[in-house]
Amino acid sequence: MRLRLRHQLRLRFPEPVRNLIAVLRMAPRSHEGQRVTNWRIDVDPDCLLKAGEDHFGNLVHTLTLPGTVSELSIIAQGELTAFDAAGIVRGSAERLPVDLYRRDTTLTAPDETVRRFASEAVQGADSPIGRLHHLMGAIHERIEATSETGAILPAARSLEAGRGTAREHAQLFATCARSLGFPARCSAGYYLDDGTASRRHSWAEAYVEGLGWVGFDTVHDICPQDHHVRVAVGLDAVEAGTLRSAYGVVPEESVEVRWLLGRDPGPLAATPS
């Protein structure tokens, strides 16, 4: 599936922010499940934008804006082809040993309730991949999917509440999978609902011996397909998040994602793969 994607963030600050520094994860990398043809990021007002890579292998852009700013607009856009790889992630940029993804963070620390839920969820499964599919289905049934607003809850609190955003779904799956002995992580990107609409989305990935990294989208109860675009990974949803900044004031954030199919969004600069 060939896609043209445009993602805009508008941040309006209640009070002017001085010397803004932010890290953006808004550039997807190519792997066997997707091929990025071109990509660019534009920021208004003009600023210093430095491209790089973090320790997870994500493409990152560090934004530095001296002086004061009351409003910030960031547009990421480009063209890519997505393939249905049955959820298996091959050819991705892996910078860390697999066992590091057994590590818990504050947001993914399991409690006894989480461990018990995970153990009960995989009963009857006869293979490692089967256990993970059972877990995906159990979270899909147990946790009501909600829109992405507010702070990200830890996995244990999401399970207790019985509801959570896609990011919280991903964190709960990663937490449960680690408690079962699987290396696991959160993945962030986009999901195409149909031929015209899309949104930011999150899912999880677990490492299975003999297969490698496999994605699990508990919101939709499917492994990622060609309707998913993978952008970043991390130990939790914050580490895989689109935007991290240091400004002392929490901004209002407005997100618009537009999939441009069959329409030319203009010339685009090449991106590293």
Side-chain angles (χ1 to χ4, degrees):
M1 181 185 293
R2 188 178 179 186
L3 305 170
R4 290 176 178 176
L5 185 150
R6 185 175 187 269
H7 179 182
Q8 181 169 4
L9 294 175
R10 291 191 183 97
L11 291 89
R12 300 181 177 91
F13 302 93
E15 298 178 4
V17 173
R18 181 177 295 276
N19 298 328
L20 176 67
I21 300 174
V23 176
L24 310 177
R25 294 182 181 86
M26 299 179 70
R29 298 195 83 142
S30 295
H31 57 82
E32 289 190 15
Q34 63 190 34
R35 184 174 66 251
V36 182
T37 306
N38 46 58
W39 201 263
R40 61 180 286 175
I41 295 177
D42 297 305
V43 181
D44 184 27
D46 290 338
C47 66
L48 176 64
L49 194 63
K50 182 179 179 181
E53 180 183 289
D54 67 12
H55 51 287
F56 294 110
N58 302 316
L59 293 179
V60 299
H61 291 78
T62 303
L63 179 159
T64 305
L65 186 61
T68 59
V69 61
S70 297
E71 184 172 332
L72 182 69
S73 174
I74 305 167
I75 298 177
Q77 59 182 334
E79 185 173 310
L80 56 90
T81 304
F83 306 94
D84 187 353
I88 300 174
V89 181
R90 293 193 178 99
S92 57
E94 301 294 341
R95 303 294 184 248
L96 297 173
V98 169
D99 282 345
L100 182 135
Y101 292 98
R102 301 181 188 274
R103 182 182 301 173
D104 293 319
T105 69
T106 302
L107 292 171
T108 60
D111 61 11
E112 186 56 38
T113 302
V114 170
R115 293 189 180 93
R116 183 169 58 253
F117 169 78
S119 178
E120 293 174 354
V122 301
Q123 289 183 4
D126 58 3
S127 66
I129 191 67
R131 297 175 80 198
L132 293 168
H133 276 283
H134 274 54
L135 176 61
M136 176 171 64
I139 293 175
H140 176 76
E141 290 294 326
R142 176 74 173 266
I143 308 300
E144 176 189 357
T146 61
S147 59
E148 294 194 357
T149 57
I152 301 174
L153 293 178
R157 288 185 58 190
S158 298
L159 181 62
E160 179 183 6
R163 61 200 306 269
T165 66
R167 294 176 296 185
E168 291 160 350
H169 268 250
Q171 284 188 160
L172 180 56
F173 183 97
T175 302
C176 291
R178 289 175 195 156
S179 77
L180 295 169
F182 295 93
R185 61 194 183 190
C186 295
S187 181
Y190 306 96
Y191 178 77
L192 180 64
D193 289 313
D194 51 37
T196 58
S198 69
R199 62 179 180 273
R200 281 195 302 164
H201 193 49
S202 298
W203 55 94
E205 296 174 0
Y207 190 84
V208 182
E209 291 293 337
L211 287 177
W213 288 104
V214 182
F216 296 89
D217 180 349
T218 60
V219 171
H220 300 100
D221 197 21
I222 58 174
C223 290
Q225 305 169 344
D226 56 357
H227 283 215
H228 293 74
V229 174
R230 182 178 182 269
V231 175
V233 299
L235 290 171
D236 56 35
V238 170
E239 292 187 345
T242 299
L243 173 69
R244 298 186 75 175
S245 58
Y247 32 69
V249 177
V250 177
E252 296 178 3
E253 180 179 355
S254 173
V255 179
E256 178 187 11
V257 181
R258 187 178 302 161
W259 292 79
L260 306 174
L261 303 178
R263 205 149 48 91
D264 187 356
L268 299 166
T271 185
S273 60

